[in-house]
Amino acid sequence: MMEKNAKIYVAGHRGMVGSAIVRELNRQGAVEEFFAQEKPEYVFLAAAKVGGIVANQEALADFMYDNMTLEMNAIHSAWKNGCKKLEFLGSSCIYPRMAPQPMKENCLLTSELEKTNEAYALAKISGLKYCEFLNRQYGTDYISVMPTNLYGPNDNYHPTHSHVVPALIRRFHEAKVNGVTSVTCWGDGSPLREFLYVDDLANLCV
């Protein structure tokens, strides 16, 4: 069990997931303050370069490089400095495009990834595997959480770079404000999506 008065570092504390984890830590009475010169005992690695389908397709190399560099440096630094426990936040997009539903963990790396976010998925798989290999080689206690589609406070409502829920909210809101009677959404409606409120994820993470 995590000690509430330990030094805790939430990487990505301004993002949707990281800020929700900070809210949950505060709700449970944990300390969130982090000083660069102090070694955190617990790390929540929620920092990432994120975006929707368009953003991923426009910057495949950036999404792979930025995320892989960020997570490898953070995880490695945590290990080097004796971090007691690390939680790496990924994404359900790491699973194959045609994985059977409901998806099981053992589906990972069994078939092709979704091409629209393959670069991001590969980076997140690398972070998950690095945690797994540190555990196996050095006996660390690093865990990975792969949440489904999230929504909630501090989400990104960019017109082309947001995820599905904020994109839909923005389109509906703009239609209402502008008196438009219809809204066009991408796709044919056949893909299944599962949604999770970000503060519920934070509660699980903490």
Side-chain angles (χ1 to χ4, degrees):
M1 190 66 175
M2 182 174 64
E3 294 109 37
K4 301 294 174 56
N5 60 349
K7 294 182 186 78
I8 301 167
Y9 177 39
V10 181
H13 66 281
R14 289 194 204 110
M16 180 168 67
V17 177
S19 63
I21 288 172
V22 170
R23 283 195 302 277
E24 181 64 18
L25 288 168
N26 286 333
R27 189 186 71 78
Q28 293 192 23
V31 177
E32 61 152 311
E33 204 168 0
F34 175 75
F35 299 97
Q37 72 269 22
E38 297 187 53
K39 297 181 179 183
E41 296 172 66
Y42 299 95
V43 172
F44 293 89
L45 184 47
K49 178 184 182 74
V50 298
I53 292 171
V54 173
N56 273 271
Q57 287 179 317
E58 287 176 349
L60 293 166
D62 296 346
F63 269 79
M64 186 168 193
Y65 178 80
D66 290 351
N67 283 300
M68 202 170 282
T69 303
L70 183 157
E71 66 200 27
M72 289 297 166
N73 284 332
I75 296 166
H76 187 71
S77 294
W79 169 71
K80 259 176 51 177
N81 289 288
C83 174
K84 190 180 288 187
K85 187 154 194 164
L86 179 140
E87 184 174 80
F88 172 63
L89 270 291
S91 168
S92 58
C93 74
I94 66 168
Y95 290 101
R97 188 172 77 83
M98 299 304 289
Q101 299 293 326
M103 286 187 294
K104 296 194 167 153
E105 286 185 12
N106 61 11
C107 290
L108 186 64
L109 298 173
T110 58
S111 61
E112 190 177 27
L113 297 166
E114 168 59 46
K115 287 294 178 193
T116 57
N117 57 11
E118 183 181 26
Y120 181 75
L122 286 169
K124 289 300 182 180
I125 291 168
S126 298
L128 178 152
K129 285 295 182 183
Y130 188 43
C131 288
E132 178 187 323
F133 297 152
L134 284 170
N135 290 344
R136 280 165 55 182
Q137 186 173 346
Y138 295 106
T140 52
D141 187 11
Y142 294 176
I143 61 174
S144 296
V145 175
M146 300 296 134
T148 187
N149 295 270
L150 300 169
Y151 67 95
N154 294 321
D155 209 338
N156 169 23
Y157 293 87
H158 190 277
T160 56
H161 293 173
S162 59
H163 289 111
V164 62
V165 171
L168 290 173
I169 290 171
R170 181 182 180 126
R171 287 180 192 185
F172 297 146
H173 173 72
E174 288 178 348
K176 181 178 179 183
V177 168
N178 297 320
V180 178
T181 57
S182 66
V183 173
T184 302
C185 299
W186 294 349
D188 61 8
S190 61
L192 297 175
R193 294 289 188 112
E194 191 173 51
F195 300 107
L196 178 64
Y197 183 59
V198 70
D199 283 15
D200 291 334
L201 170 67
N203 178 264
L204 173 135
C205 288
V206 173

